[in-house]
Amino acid sequence: HGAGLIDYLYLGVKLGIYPSLIFMGVGAMTDFGPLIANPKSLLMGAGAQFGIFVAFIGAKLLGFSNAEAGSIGIIGGADGPMAIYTTMKLAPHLLPQISVAAYSYMALMPLIQPPIMKMLTNSDERKIMMKQPRYVSRLEKIAFPIVIGVIVNIFLPPVAPLITMLMLGNLLRECLVVTKLAETASNTLLNIVTMVLTVAIGSTMAAGTFLTYKTVLIIFLGLVAFAFGTASGVVCAKIMCKLSHGKINPLIGSAGVSAAPMAARVSQKVGQEYN
């Protein structure tokens, strides 16, 4: 009888179009100035990915295949579009469960992260005031997305669609000559694509495949991934705090789990409670 509206909308998920457009919107929202000024902060982002490996190993022990375990593990990256993109490559039959787990835990950041952050830091560490190390010029901010885009396309082609669109969105923001496009990408377009994405994924949640024991395991492993990712990020920042003689607030390590901008807001909110 031919394809219907949902069939056509789902092509955006299947072909990786929606995640890439969302990344462009996130790029248009992001200020990479602090990262450019202090490249060492990349280590906190890397450290916070430990939860991915914990969830991957846990999924393997529970009987999932390598591809399925990889898709489940990426929930720990706390990035909905990335989880969807990876799952469509590795285990598309698990897309409903993984997308629900990823977006649910991203929304629950203010409940999941603070107890872990407080458990791993002391009051003095939470009060540390951080300052941007130096002024970042406009030329640096414009060159950054271009250089990163070229490097990723040469050395990491599997993730090039996502990172290139992220950098394109950031370039729209930083060049200051297409402000309308930057505003549209970070607001209107981002909201529309997110709405269409959720409708398309929701159409795949048939009871026969979604209401199963595997779904419970995936949601549990997602929580484990988020918890370990938050903890490893804070621990990494705590080590950097010691090495920098107290110049880095360990609370920002929790933002390394990539749930932009919620994780950073949680870091800020917990810090403000103490200073």
Side-chain angles (χ1 to χ4, degrees):
H1 300 288
L5 174 63
I6 298 297
D7 294 302
Y8 289 116
L9 292 180
Y10 190 74
L11 286 176
V13 179
K14 187 176 181 181
L15 300 176
I17 295 171
Y18 299 148
S20 298
L21 290 176
I22 289 174
F23 261 57
M24 181 174 68
V26 172
M29 294 167 59
T30 304
D31 177 15
F32 286 111
L35 173 62
I36 298 171
N38 184 20
K40 293 191 296 294
S41 58
L42 274 172
L43 296 174
M44 286 179 278
Q49 306 311 307
F50 182 68
I52 294 175
F53 301 99
V54 173
F56 175 84
I57 295 170
K60 284 292 295 176
L61 293 175
L62 290 172
F64 289 93
S65 67
N66 285 337
E68 291 173 336
S71 297
I72 293 169
I74 204 66
I75 297 173
D79 193 321
M82 178 67 81
I84 292 169
Y85 187 86
T86 304
T87 302
M88 289 306 301
K89 298 286 186 182
L90 298 178
H93 59 285
L94 293 181
L95 180 63
Q97 295 94 323
I98 289 174
S99 58
V100 166
Y103 276 100
S104 295
Y105 289 131
M106 286 171 64
L108 290 171
M109 282 286 186
L111 294 177
I112 297 172
Q113 287 194 313
I116 299 172
M117 295 160 67
K118 294 175 182 178
M119 181 178 66
L120 296 173
T121 58
N122 59 50
S123 180
D124 291 336
E125 290 172 335
R126 295 178 210 131
K127 294 177 182 177
I128 294 174
M129 291 287 291
M130 292 181 62
K131 296 180 180 178
Q132 189 162 306
R134 64 176 181 84
Y135 170 77
V136 179
S137 68
R138 181 60 51 188
L139 177 61
E140 289 177 288
K141 289 189 174 184
I142 292 175
F144 179 80
I146 297 173
V147 171
I148 295 297
V150 171
I151 291 173
V152 168
N153 276 271
I154 293 174
F155 295 105
L156 300 167
V159 295
L162 292 179
I163 304 302
T164 303
M165 292 297 281
L166 179 74
M167 293 300 128
L168 173 60
N170 188 247
L171 185 60
L172 296 178
R173 167 195 170 100
E174 300 298 352
C175 70
L176 301 181
V177 293
V178 286
T179 53
K180 289 291 183 182
L181 292 181
E183 291 172 4
T184 300
S186 61
N187 289 291
T188 308
L189 180 62
L190 184 61
N191 292 334
I192 291 173
V193 173
T194 300
M195 182 170 61
V196 174
L197 172 69
T198 54
V199 170
I201 293 178
S203 68
T204 66
M205 294 179 184
T209 57
F210 188 76
L211 299 178
T212 64
Y213 180 60
K214 274 192 172 182
T215 300
V216 177
L217 291 179
I218 291 170
I219 291 176
F220 168 73
L221 288 168
L223 177 60
V224 170
F226 264 64
F228 273 91
T230 299
S232 61
V234 173
V235 169
C236 182
K238 195 175 175 99
I239 294 171
M240 294 179 67
C241 176
K242 299 294 184 184
L243 295 176
S244 66
H245 304 291
K247 293 181 180 179
I248 293 176
N249 190 317
L251 292 177
I252 70 168
S254 65
V257 294
S258 306
M262 183 61 73
R265 288 175 180 166
V266 173
S267 298
Q268 177 77 358
K269 184 176 182 296
V270 174
Q272 284 181 328
E273 291 176 7
Y274 294 87
N275 188 339

